[in-house]
Amino acid sequence: MIKLGRLLPKALLLLVLLVGAAVTLLPYVWMVSSSLKTEAEVFTAGISFIPAHPTLDAYSKALERTQVARYLFNSMFVSTGETLLVCTTSVLAGYSFARLRFPGRDLIFLIVLGTMMIPTQVTMIPSFIIIKWLGWIDTYQGLIVPRAVMAFGIFLMRQFFMTIPYELEEAGRIDGCNRPRLLFQIMLPLTGPALATLAIFSFTNAWNEFFWPLIVTTSEDVKTIQVALATMRGGEVVEWTTLMATVTMSALPTLVVYLLLQRYFTKGIIMSGIKG
Amino acid sequence: MSKNISRRLARRDFLRYALAGGVGTGLLGVLAACQQPAAAPTTAPKATEAPKPAATTAPAPAATTAPAPAATAAAAATKAPAKFSGVTLNLWQHWSGNLEKVLRDMVTEFNNSGRGITMNVTTVPLSDMWTKVLAAVAAGAPPDSYTSAAMVRPELAKDRAIEDLNKYGKRPDLLKAFDSPTVFMGGWYGVPNNGGLWTMCYNKELYTKAGLDANKGPQTWNDLVEHGKKLTDPASNQFGIVLPNKPVSWTTEVWYGFLLEAGGDFLTPDNSAAAFNSEAGVKALQFWVDLAYTHKVSSLSSMDNNGVQAAYSTGKVGMWTMYPVISGSIGALNFKSGNNPAPKDVKQGTHFAGTYMPMMSGGKNKEALWEFFSWWMQPETNGKWCALTGGLPITQAVTQTQVYKDYLKSQPLAQAYVDSFDIAKPLPLVIGISEMEQVVAEAIEAAVIGKQPVKATLDTAAQKVNDIIKKYKS
């Protein structure tokens, strides 16, 4: 009786989690299933997850008509480049705001934080004009460089640096460390979890970015996957199977990265308090 | 010891990252290996094959029907003298799927025709085209042209961001319906890329099952109700008709056809005030409400253009309003469809839409772009586009081309569009029309889904539309 009393809550919890998992996975199963159907079967009334006549036609159509591999490479390249730059600038700025003393430090930090309140749309046109002056329209640098600094990243790293005891730095100084060495050899190795959080946050942000790539890209060569997917969904005629096949293919790289780095991803979510 | 452990862990991490990188690169490599060039040459067609509709599930029409290689050869044989050399143009277009493929294939033919012009085509999502164009114009980096859905944007004409094409050459004898979406303050601001209007498409199999004549769809509003009643079966979630009701421009455009049929219009003849809240307007919107609540023949699910198409495609809907570029997908479904001009009330009417290509003032190669436009408007070129996509011909001459005649023979759904030319009318080309369409779409949703009183809802919408007109006049 006591055993049952203990097991019941666990069983209920498990049931709730199973239902939650099923609800979360259902759209993905539907996506893959639709990508293997014919266009006519997609619209068959009623729910069927298993295609009556499985076909890879949608995949060959997607590969023939669009440059999926190119779009995926572009997204990967831009997201990686952006993440590296964001981590670099956030570490440098975060350390400066946390440890260096200079006039107006806190005011400048507040101004940096204040930029988080300005909607992207407001800065879009001025940024675009600068990019045009630089001749960077439809280039990778045009996509990456304007996103190289992230106020949230600076804030996150500053807060993390502030939690590291001063004694560690002082010990390094006594041993003759200069400032850059202090940062890169003593402080930076201690920021691993925060940096991983920032990297994951920045990468997913860059991967999902739509508006800036939409404005800056003008050719298929540097178009990112998000913009490409929108072109397939946004027309008057939507080929659902081709769209689902493209979405399935575009999900694969992120799925692989997630499976391999899920430990850090979970840690990152816990640390940054990001949900959903 | 702890150092050793951390080193071992670091090595594991390194291997893990390397594996992640390897798998990722491998995946991209496999995809890249499978990748075909976007505008790959099409296979040779059978000479005797008739053109087929632009079916989305069937093999791409260009591969089966288009005289692509033949046309390329012909084009090469009659190459225009090269007036230009090394000119590159940019066209932003919104078509996806088969239509995008056809457009790209045709542009490749143009690029290979020895004119010395290369047109680069970039696909932009339809819903974001205007944002992108505005940003590009503001930054002084517009494309040479883009596809403007439904009509040319009069805002651009007013601000001289697009060119009056009359300065560049003679306008061909375009069918009358193409005038209004492109002519603004006496200037001609866009070349038709595609023409469209809605007709009443119906499921022939459901018609037969319901004891109706499968060769004759609804001719009048009364037929719509009577046929709808016979086709509706609540037990199997089957509806007589689906109509869009989401607050998007598509909803307004379909309803606009009903407004015309009831004898009304969107604005007053001088475009100075709203006219859709007239007696005819109330009748047209009340008809939609009655279809849902009194006759119980239309679905109340919230639907946009994709929603109504998807609903009809399930085979559980009797009738819906269809535009030409969708005919191909509908023709390829598991059941047969019929197509009629829009059913009439006091008269016949339907919304005329289309897609138009303006010439951006910021473009650097306007003469070359005009050369492209001239090629696009040639009867043979346009006939081919229409045959491969289901689009409407832009001139009378196009209807006489063999490729279009063959298309009409092979695509039974297409004749209804041709028969509807004379009753189709576009929305007025006035500044702020998109905002007005949005206001009316919201009113339709409020009346049909929200059960708000029809007259009061339309009056409120009319007030808002009048405010929009005033705003842009001042």
Side-chain angles (χ1 to χ4, degrees):
Chain A
M1 190 64 191
I2 296 166
K3 258 191 173 176
L4 190 70
R6 273 188 196 166
L7 282 176
L8 198 63
K10 276 190 182 175
L12 280 175
L13 184 68
L14 197 65
L15 188 71
V16 170
L17 288 175
L18 276 174
V19 171
V23 168
T24 310
L25 282 175
L26 206 65
Y28 296 97
V29 175
W30 188 262
M31 171 183 84
V32 177
S33 157
S34 299
S35 72
L36 298 170
K37 290 178 180 175
T38 60
E39 198 72 22
E41 196 186 346
V42 165
F43 293 113
T44 309
I47 297 169
S48 94
F49 285 101
I50 300 165
H53 308 286
T55 170
L56 292 173
D57 279 0
Y59 287 87
S60 61
K61 250 189 210 175
L63 289 167
E64 183 197 340
R65 291 183 187 174
T66 63
Q67 302 179 38
V68 184
R70 181 85 207 180
Y71 304 146
L72 284 173
F73 170 79
N74 291 341
S75 277
M76 197 61 95
F77 186 76
V78 169
S79 303
T80 309
E82 213 174 299
T83 304
L84 288 174
L85 281 176
V86 164
C87 287
T88 307
T89 55
S90 298
V91 165
L92 292 174
Y95 180 75
S96 303
F97 284 125
R99 288 292 202 253
L100 303 187
R101 288 183 187 174
F102 54 90
R105 183 185 70 172
D106 292 343
L107 179 69
I108 296 171
F109 180 64
L110 281 178
I111 292 170
V112 169
L113 280 190
T115 60
M116 288 169 75
M117 292 174 208
I118 302 171
T120 323
Q121 285 80 356
V122 174
T123 56
M124 194 61 70
I125 299 293
S127 301
F128 188 57
I129 290 171
I130 295 169
I131 290 297
K132 193 202 157 203
W133 282 342
L134 293 168
W136 285 1
I137 289 177
D138 206 33
T139 61
Y140 288 123
Q141 60 267 37
L143 284 167
I144 297 169
V145 176
R147 297 285 186 267
V149 181
M150 186 195 262
F152 170 73
I154 294 171
F155 169 74
L156 187 80
M157 294 314 295
R158 175 190 180 261
Q159 300 308 102
F160 201 83
F161 279 122
M162 286 174 81
T163 63
I164 299 173
Y166 274 95
E167 286 78 4
L168 279 171
E169 266 186 288
E170 282 163 4
R173 263 191 213 162
I174 290 167
D175 286 345
C177 257
N178 59 14
R179 192 64 85 173
R181 216 170 154 197
L182 269 179
L183 170 62
F184 291 112
Q185 288 198 335
I186 296 178
M187 302 292 273
L188 198 59
L190 297 170
T191 61
L195 211 53
T197 305
L198 180 61
I200 289 164
F201 186 78
S202 168
F203 188 88
T204 47
N205 221 22
W207 184 270
N208 293 327
E209 175 85 65
F210 172 73
F211 204 51
W212 184 246
L214 170 80
I215 301 293
V216 172
T217 58
T218 55
S219 74
E220 303 297 317
D221 293 341
V222 290
K223 191 184 267 185
T224 60
I225 190 72
Q226 301 299 342
V227 179
L229 288 175
T231 60
M232 297 180 78
R233 170 69 181 81
E236 286 162 30
V237 183
V238 181
E239 293 180 12
W240 291 102
T241 54
T242 318
L243 177 62
M244 290 299 154
T246 313
V247 176
T248 305
M249 285 189 280
S250 72
L252 285 179
T254 40
L255 189 69
V256 170
V257 169
Y258 175 75
L259 288 177
L260 290 165
L261 300 179
Q262 57 176 316
R263 185 158 58 97
Y264 297 101
F265 194 77
T266 317
K267 251 191 203 173
I269 288 172
I270 294 164
M271 281 195 61
S272 60
I274 303 160
K275 288 173 186 174
Chain B
M1 180 68 186
S2 66
K3 261 188 178 178
N4 283 343
I5 290 170
S6 69
R7 197 173 294 156
R8 271 209 302 276
L9 284 174
R11 202 174 295 140
R12 270 186 207 157
D13 284 345
F14 170 76
L15 288 172
R16 188 172 284 177
Y17 294 137
L19 183 64
V23 171
T25 315
L27 273 172
L28 287 176
V30 168
L31 285 175
C34 299
Q35 189 84 54
Q36 298 290 321
T42 51
T43 50
K46 286 178 187 171
T48 51
E49 262 182 359
K52 283 182 184 168
T56 51
T57 51
T64 54
T65 65
T72 312
T78 57
K79 272 182 184 175
K83 277 199 309 195
F84 307 93
S85 173
V87 175
T88 301
L89 300 171
N90 290 296
L91 171 70
W92 294 352
Q93 69 87 33
H94 69 260
W95 299 113
S96 60
N98 182 57
L99 277 93
E100 179 185 357
K101 185 184 183 308
V102 172
L103 179 68
R104 284 185 183 278
D105 286 350
M106 289 179 68
V107 168
T108 302
E109 278 176 34
F110 172 81
N111 291 345
N112 293 337
S113 65
R115 288 176 165 87
I117 304 168
T118 302
M119 173 64 88
N120 289 329
V121 177
T122 302
T123 305
V124 176
L126 174 62
S127 53
D128 302 295
M129 178 70 88
W130 183 232
T131 310
K132 189 170 165 71
V133 168
L134 275 187
V137 169
D144 293 284
S145 184
Y146 76 100
T147 52
S148 180
M151 60 185 68
V152 162
R153 301 296 290 239
E155 297 92 321
L156 294 179
K158 192 185 169 210
D159 294 340
R160 300 190 187 285
I162 54 177
E163 294 280 327
D164 179 354
L165 296 174
N166 287 315
K167 288 192 285 186
Y168 295 88
K170 192 178 172 295
R171 186 159 66 132
D173 191 16
L174 297 174
L175 291 166
K176 198 170 165 12
F178 286 101
D179 281 354
S180 178
T182 56
V183 176
F184 182 72
M185 292 170 69
W188 175 41
Y189 289 99
V191 164
N193 166 259
N194 185 64
L197 53 87
W198 69 254
T199 50
M200 190 56 70
C201 172
Y202 60 94
N203 182 326
K204 281 189 163 186
E205 288 174 21
L206 291 187
Y207 256 63
T208 307
K209 274 184 199 164
L212 294 162
D213 182 356
N215 294 316
K216 197 176 167 193
Q219 309 293 310
T220 64
W221 284 16
N222 280 341
D223 285 352
L224 212 57
V225 173
E226 293 312 314
H227 293 193
K229 282 178 181 170
K230 287 182 180 165
L231 292 164
T232 300
D233 178 13
S236 63
N237 204 25
Q238 182 175 302
F239 287 96
I241 185 168
V242 283
L243 294 164
N245 48 31
K246 265 195 180 173
V248 292
S249 57
W250 192 280
T251 299
T252 302
E253 288 161 7
V254 172
W255 180 73
Y256 175 60
F258 283 81
L259 175 66
L260 294 172
E261 287 159 10
D265 211 335
F266 197 76
L267 298 180
T268 53
D270 60 355
N271 293 335
S272 64
F276 56 79
N277 57 334
S278 60
E279 207 174 298
V282 173
K283 185 181 180 188
L285 188 51
Q286 189 63 52
F287 184 63
W288 277 31
V289 172
D290 289 346
L291 285 174
Y293 296 104
T294 309
H295 310 301
K296 298 186 192 316
V297 298
S298 76
S299 168
L300 276 171
S301 300
S302 182
M303 280 187 267
D304 59 6
N305 50 322
N306 291 324
V308 286
Q309 185 189 348
Y312 179 79
S313 301
T314 62
K316 290 280 185 181
V317 166
M319 301 170 277
W320 76 301
T321 52
M322 179 170 74
Y323 282 85
V325 289
I326 303 164
S327 308
S329 343
I330 297 303
L333 289 172
N334 288 338
F335 54 87
K336 282 188 179 171
S337 294
N339 199 17
N340 262 5
K344 73 171 187 178
D345 181 38
V346 295
K347 61 173 190 172
Q348 272 193 302
T350 185
H351 168 243
F352 187 85
T355 299
Y356 303 90
M357 298 184 290
M359 180 185 282
M360 305 304 288
S361 299
K364 290 184 182 69
N365 297 294
K366 291 170 188 152
E367 291 294 339
L369 183 63
W370 176 253
E371 179 75 16
F372 174 78
F373 283 167
S374 304
W375 169 79
W376 183 262
M377 290 186 290
Q378 281 174 10
E380 295 74 23
T381 314
N382 187 246
K384 184 175 170 184
W385 166 260
C386 295
L388 295 176
T389 64
L392 295 181
I394 61 174
T395 60
Q396 203 62 48
V398 177
T399 61
Q400 300 309 311
T401 58
Q402 196 54 45
V403 67
Y404 192 71
K405 282 180 181 171
D406 289 344
Y407 167 70
L408 277 185
K409 268 185 217 160
S410 69
Q411 175 51 283
L413 298 176
Q415 189 59 45
Y417 298 114
V418 179
D419 296 343
S420 301
F421 264 128
D422 294 337
I423 59 165
K425 188 177 172 184
L427 281 158
L429 190 68
V430 291
I431 296 176
I433 186 69
S434 302
E435 290 171 56
M436 297 177 206
E437 283 191 64
Q438 183 61 30
V439 165
V440 174
E442 283 166 15
I444 294 167
E445 187 194 38
V448 176
I449 304 281
K451 287 186 174 180
Q452 297 297 309
V454 168
K455 173 68 178 151
T457 305
L458 283 179
D459 283 345
T460 308
Q463 189 52 53
K464 286 182 190 169
V465 164
N466 289 338
D467 290 343
I468 293 168
I469 293 170
K470 235 183 255 170
K471 180 175 81 177
Y472 287 112
K473 262 193 178 168
S474 62

